[in-house]
Amino acid sequence: MLAYGCAADAIDEYLRIGETTVLEATRRFCKMIVHSYGDEYLHEPTVSDVELLLRKNKDRGFPGMLGSLDCMHSNWDKYPSAESWAYTVYKGSESIVLEAVVSYELWFWHAFFGMPGSNNDINVMNRSYVFRSFINGKAPPVKFVVNGHSYDMGYYLGDGIYTEISTIVMVIKYPDS
């Protein structure tokens, strides 16, 4: 069901396993993944993680950067047809949006799947816990200086789709060096 994105009742006929058994096995599998990998991978960055991110990014010429932010649309052709109204049509098919923040080593330290409704980068960002943390004043403490100006809030590298807010720095579209 997870690998092919098919409904539980479709597996019932193919594998001769009841729908409730498939759903229970999937639930147990997901719980085990969270139990096995949650402490290491499914958490917000710790203070030492933030220090490492800031140090590595400063060494690479990006002082104060917490990570690179982007959203991607994943076509979802196996969505539950009863809930088709909930998923946005993007380039001709239903899709779900994944917002991710990654580090210099491609550590996905934040992943948030868009909720049903109008799924675009801005709507997903507005519901994301990373940006709720900034709004609620729970952002990691960051202090850095660029061109003689002091800053006390980290930022994310993003593309031009995001609104102009101080926590997202847009990439240079046509760098000359």
Side-chain angles (χ1 to χ4, degrees):
M1 188 168 85
L2 292 172
Y4 294 109
C6 57
D9 61 349
I11 294 174
D12 177 12
E13 296 171 13
Y14 179 68
L15 296 176
R16 305 265 186 229
I17 299 173
E19 179 180 357
T20 55
T21 304
V22 170
L23 293 173
E24 179 62 21
T26 303
R27 186 186 67 77
R28 287 184 183 192
F29 174 79
C30 292
K31 282 182 81 171
M32 192 57 172
I33 292 294
V34 170
H35 176 74
S36 298
Y37 300 105
D39 291 343
E40 186 172 354
Y41 297 106
L42 304 175
H43 65 84
E44 291 185 51
T46 64
V47 172
S48 61
D49 290 338
V50 170
E51 289 172 359
L52 178 66
L53 290 168
L54 292 172
R55 187 175 68 249
K56 291 288 188 175
N57 288 331
K58 182 179 181 182
D59 293 346
R60 295 173 60 236
F62 294 96
M65 186 176 89
L66 294 168
S68 298
L69 167 74
D70 201 7
C71 289
M72 65 170 271
H73 287 264
S74 293
N75 289 340
W76 191 11
D77 57 350
K78 304 290 186 201
Y79 66 93
S81 58
E83 298 176 15
S84 63
W85 58 270
Y87 300 96
T88 301
V89 174
Y90 178 76
K91 293 187 179 178
S93 66
E94 281 74 10
S95 70
I96 191 164
V97 178
L98 165 65
E99 173 191 74
V101 177
V102 297
S103 74
Y104 58 96
E105 294 177 326
L106 297 181
W107 167 42
F108 280 72
W109 66 259
H110 167 70
F112 178 74
F113 284 95
M115 59 289 146
S118 179
N119 285 332
N120 62 35
D121 297 10
I122 303 301
N123 291 340
V124 172
M125 186 183 83
N126 286 335
R127 300 251 185 339
S128 166
Y129 73 82
V130 166
F131 293 98
R132 266 192 259 132
S133 296
F134 273 103
I135 291 167
N136 294 331
K138 296 179 182 176
V142 175
K143 298 215 182 290
F144 64 99
V145 177
V146 174
N147 295 332
H149 296 283
S150 295
Y151 298 92
D152 61 358
M153 184 183 302
Y155 65 90
Y156 301 92
L157 215 55
D159 58 19
I161 190 72
Y162 299 101
T163 55
E164 291 187 25
I165 59 175
S166 61
T167 58
I168 299 177
V169 174
M170 306 305 170
V171 296
I172 300 169
K173 291 185 182 187
Y174 304 107
D176 58 7
S177 65

